[in-house]
């Protein structure tokens, strides 16, 4: 049984270590071994639960890994280049989570940091400032509060550019940060378990008063092995 350090009084749910690597990989729809490597073998950054025997991730850890994977995929950069980018962003911003706490945009093969009415290209080349309108492709994948902090992720496994679908989401204040069908408190893993036990999509949808399409799309976010089992 995995033990967790009790949440400190007043500690934000966003920084409380609660996700195991397999669960975080499931939420992000990425190979568990890849995320394990990013946490243990060659860490991108120390995760919130790095002082525990089994390192656990916080919501902010999970979100930053999501951004890194998103950037790698959409900017077409290597893992090493992504590491350099994160380190440079941390140096420039002096923050632990620069990809979350700052205004980051991805356009073509560029990653831009928008600060103080200027736009810094973090890749080509380092430190060069460019001045033109940037459209962030993160817009449909995250929600921010009035202070600009990331509050919710929409990690759609089948996302492609201009796809605005948000079938699943994760919010540290909803169901303790579990992956749910967007707009509900229905954990996707519970839906998959019910499907695996023999219930039909229509039965599940009827019980939760949602459309069959929403149930189906939530299951499509899961890795192939789990979707087959479901």
């Amino acid at each position: 049984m995995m033990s967790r350090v009790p949440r400190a009084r007043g500690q934000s749910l966003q920084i409380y270590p609660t996700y195991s690597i397999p669960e975080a990989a499931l939420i992000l729809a990425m190979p568990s071994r890849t995320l394990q490597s990013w946490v243990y073998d060659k860490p991108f950054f120390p995760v919130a639960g790095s002082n525990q025997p089994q390192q656990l991730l916080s919501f902010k850890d999970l979100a930053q890994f999501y951004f890194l994977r998103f950037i790698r995929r959409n900017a077409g950069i290597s893992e090493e280049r992504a590491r350099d980018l994160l380190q440079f962003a941390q140096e420039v911003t002096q923050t632990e989570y620069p990809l979350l706490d700052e205004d980051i945009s991805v356009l073509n093969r560029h990653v831009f940091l928008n600060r103080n009415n200027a736009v810094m290209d973090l890749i080509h080349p380092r430190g060069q400032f460019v001045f033109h309108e940037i459209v962030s492709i993160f817009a449909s994948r995250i929600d921010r509060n009035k202070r600009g902090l990331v509050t919710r992720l929409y990690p759609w496994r089948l996302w492609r550019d201009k796809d605005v679908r948000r079938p699943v989401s994760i919010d540290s204040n909803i169901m303790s940060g579990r992956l749910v069908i967007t707009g509900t408190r229905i954990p996707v893993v519970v839906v998959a378990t019910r499907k695996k036990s023999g219930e039909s999509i229509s039965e599940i949808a009827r019980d939760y008063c949602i459309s069959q399409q929403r149930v189906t799309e939530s299951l499509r976010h899961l890795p192939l092995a789990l979707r087959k089992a479901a």
Side-chain angles (χ1 to χ4, degrees):
M1 183 76 175
M2 180 172 53
S3 61
R4 298 181 180 180
V5 176
R7 186 158 68 103
R9 187 180 184 88
Q11 183 181 16
S12 169
L13 285 170
Q14 290 212 337
I15 62 173
Y16 176 60
T18 184
Y19 304 98
S20 67
I21 290 177
E23 182 181 14
L26 178 68
I27 291 170
L28 300 179
M30 66 184 294
S32 182
R33 183 65 188 88
T34 299
L35 185 56
Q36 182 176 337
S37 174
W38 288 4
V39 173
Y40 281 103
D41 302 339
K42 196 173 181 183
F44 269 91
F45 56 90
V47 299
S50 59
N51 60 341
Q52 301 179 20
Q54 182 170 356
Q55 297 191 27
L56 299 175
L57 281 61
S58 68
F59 174 84
K60 295 193 78 169
D61 293 330
L62 188 149
Q64 185 148 269
F65 278 127
Y66 175 69
F67 273 45
L68 284 166
R69 187 165 185 258
F70 196 100
I71 286 170
R72 279 203 63 203
R73 174 179 170 182
N74 292 283
I77 62 176
S78 68
E79 183 173 311
E80 286 307 310
R81 180 63 70 86
R83 292 180 188 279
D84 290 342
L85 181 149
L86 178 60
Q87 182 179 354
F88 181 53
Q90 288 173 328
E91 291 172 358
V92 169
T93 64
Q94 294 296 300
T95 61
E96 186 178 1
Y97 297 97
L99 304 186
L100 309 185
D101 300 337
E102 301 292 332
D103 186 1
I104 301 290
S105 302
V106 181
L107 184 67
N108 298 326
R109 298 179 66 87
H110 297 266
V111 179
F112 297 103
L113 169 64
N114 303 281
R115 298 191 92 208
N116 303 321
N117 298 317
V119 182
M120 176 183 290
D121 188 338
L122 297 179
I123 298 183
H124 309 291
R126 282 192 171 194
Q128 180 179 351
F129 285 82
V130 294
F131 297 90
H132 55 75
E133 185 176 357
I134 303 297
V135 178
S136 173
I137 59 175
F138 280 129
S140 66
R141 300 296 97 204
I142 62 173
D143 282 345
R144 294 183 183 272
N145 61 20
K146 293 181 179 179
R147 293 184 295 164
L149 301 178
V150 174
T151 56
R152 187 173 300 170
L153 300 182
Y154 300 94
W156 181 215
R157 184 178 67 85
L158 302 180
W159 181 89
R160 294 294 182 272
D161 193 11
K162 299 181 181 179
D163 184 350
V164 297
R165 288 176 294 174
R166 296 175 165 188
V168 296
S169 61
I170 172 175
D171 183 322
S172 60
N173 292 309
I174 297 177
M175 296 300 291
S176 299
R178 307 290 61 92
L179 185 72
V180 299
I181 296 176
T182 299
T184 76
R185 301 177 67 84
I186 307 167
V188 178
V189 172
V190 170
V191 173
T193 301
R194 291 186 59 174
K195 184 67 171 59
K196 181 180 179 181
S197 70
E199 295 185 61
S200 68
I201 295 292
S202 60
E203 288 175 316
I204 297 171
R206 183 173 61 250
D207 284 352
Y208 289 124
C209 299
I210 59 177
S211 69
Q212 294 184 41
Q213 180 181 1
R214 296 185 72 187
V215 174
T216 300
E217 286 201 332
S218 72
L219 291 175
R220 291 180 69 199
H221 178 74
L222 301 178
L224 182 60
L226 280 182
R227 286 186 286 127
K228 283 185 174 180

